[in-house]
Amino acid sequence: IKEDILETEDINTLQPSLPGSKPEESGIDNPIGFTQGENWERTCIETGCEHTLYSYQKYYQRNELWQPIDEQFYSTPCQTGYDFCVVNNLYQAHMRSYPDTTNAMLFTFNGVDFKFKPHAVTFAANSVRQNIGSIQHSPSQVINNRAQYPSVFTNNFDMQFTYLPRMFKEDLIIKPKAGLPVANVSQNRRDITFDLEFTIDVDQSTQILINNQVWDRQTSRTTNQPIEI
């Protein structure tokens, strides 16, 4: 992850009100040393202070102290049955080595667990579906904050997950597009969508809103709007 340094100035010319800081931390009467906030750092020596602002969140609060966000996956201390994980920060992620296993990915945010499993990729049009490929027993490749499952549906697809400070990013990589089958679910090409089928499981006490209405978890619902959990 690239660190974009936006601003560095001497304390004699800068008296900022920094995001995430307390009022007493924002003035020029700070002691010598190092302080930080959500997206800034300040290093003070006898002759002045240097401030660095970042274009992304670099720190989070744990036990009322600012801690650096560590985006890297580790093999411990993951929840039972999961092989690599990130256990601190604003949200937690636990993942299995193979994506075709039950509850292959587990995410926790504000004490709420979200379990995710991909199933298939399809072409769809007017309620008609054409299967392109189902989830395969594809071993993960983990490097730093990225986990990739190669040839995850067919040889044409890789699935990549990236742990970021405020977002868990999923990328479906098609290689090459020319290798995809011909979609035959509709004569009108504009009606055809390319869909990823998956399951998300959350606790029964957690509300799921579809079109701003609480879902009863039984009625079949279709939406092109964001689903709120």
Side-chain angles (χ1 to χ4, degrees):
I1 302 301
K2 182 181 178 181
E3 297 183 353
D4 296 316
I5 299 176
L6 301 181
E7 182 174 348
T8 303
E9 297 190 34
D10 190 270
I11 197 169
N12 295 320
T13 60
L14 178 65
Q15 299 183 36
S17 177
L18 295 169
S21 64
K22 298 179 181 178
E24 66 269 22
E25 294 177 339
S26 298
I28 63 174
D29 297 324
N30 292 288
I32 294 174
F34 179 81
T35 54
Q36 68 271 77
E38 187 175 283
N39 67 334
W40 59 271
E41 299 169 350
R42 177 172 55 243
T43 303
C44 293
I45 58 176
E46 292 181 355
T47 56
C49 294
E50 181 179 82
H51 297 78
T52 302
L53 302 181
Y54 296 90
S55 60
Y56 57 91
Q57 182 166 350
K58 186 175 176 66
Y59 297 95
Y60 76 106
Q61 280 203 322
R62 185 176 67 190
N63 299 325
E64 298 185 353
L65 296 174
W66 289 106
Q67 306 285 343
I69 292 178
D70 184 359
E71 304 170 7
Q72 183 163 321
F73 285 112
Y74 295 94
S75 58
T76 58
C78 304
Q79 289 199 19
T80 302
Y82 290 90
D83 303 299
F84 53 97
C85 56
V86 180
V87 297
N88 293 314
N89 310 331
L90 300 173
Y91 69 94
Q92 295 74 50
H94 300 260
M95 305 183 71
R96 301 185 194 274
S97 293
Y98 295 91
D100 58 335
T101 52
T102 303
N103 299 328
M105 296 115 190
L106 168 65
F107 314 104
T108 302
F109 178 71
N110 287 341
V112 178
D113 288 344
F114 305 81
K115 298 172 183 177
F116 174 84
K117 180 185 176 181
H119 291 293
V121 286
T122 64
F123 289 127
N126 303 318
S127 300
V128 178
R129 293 192 175 276
Q130 174 188 344
N131 185 275
I132 301 172
S134 298
I135 194 71
Q136 302 294 308
H137 194 63
S138 170
S140 60
Q141 299 174 355
V142 183
I143 300 177
N144 299 326
N145 67 329
R146 289 184 173 87
Q148 187 172 93
Y149 298 95
S151 303
V152 68
F153 296 110
T154 68
N155 290 335
N156 295 100
F157 295 94
D158 291 347
M159 181 174 282
Q160 179 175 278
F161 296 90
T162 306
Y163 187 101
L164 300 172
R166 287 184 172 272
M167 176 179 67
F168 196 75
K169 183 181 179 184
E170 176 189 7
D171 291 301
L172 189 60
I173 303 168
I174 303 174
K175 49 164 198 174
K177 183 178 178 180
L180 291 176
V182 176
N184 55 23
V185 291
S186 174
Q187 296 297 320
N188 188 345
R189 307 294 294 178
R190 294 188 177 184
D191 291 341
I192 300 173
T193 61
F194 176 83
D195 295 352
L196 169 65
E197 296 183 358
F198 59 89
T199 301
I200 292 181
D201 182 23
V202 295
D203 186 87
Q204 289 292 325
S205 62
T206 302
Q207 288 189 339
I208 300 175
L209 275 69
I210 303 176
N211 296 334
N212 295 320
Q213 294 182 342
V214 177
W215 183 42
D216 60 9
R217 297 178 183 245
Q218 296 179 356
T219 308
S220 178
R221 300 289 299 275
T222 301
T223 182
N224 58 4
Q225 301 299 314
I227 297 175
E228 299 180 46
I229 301 176

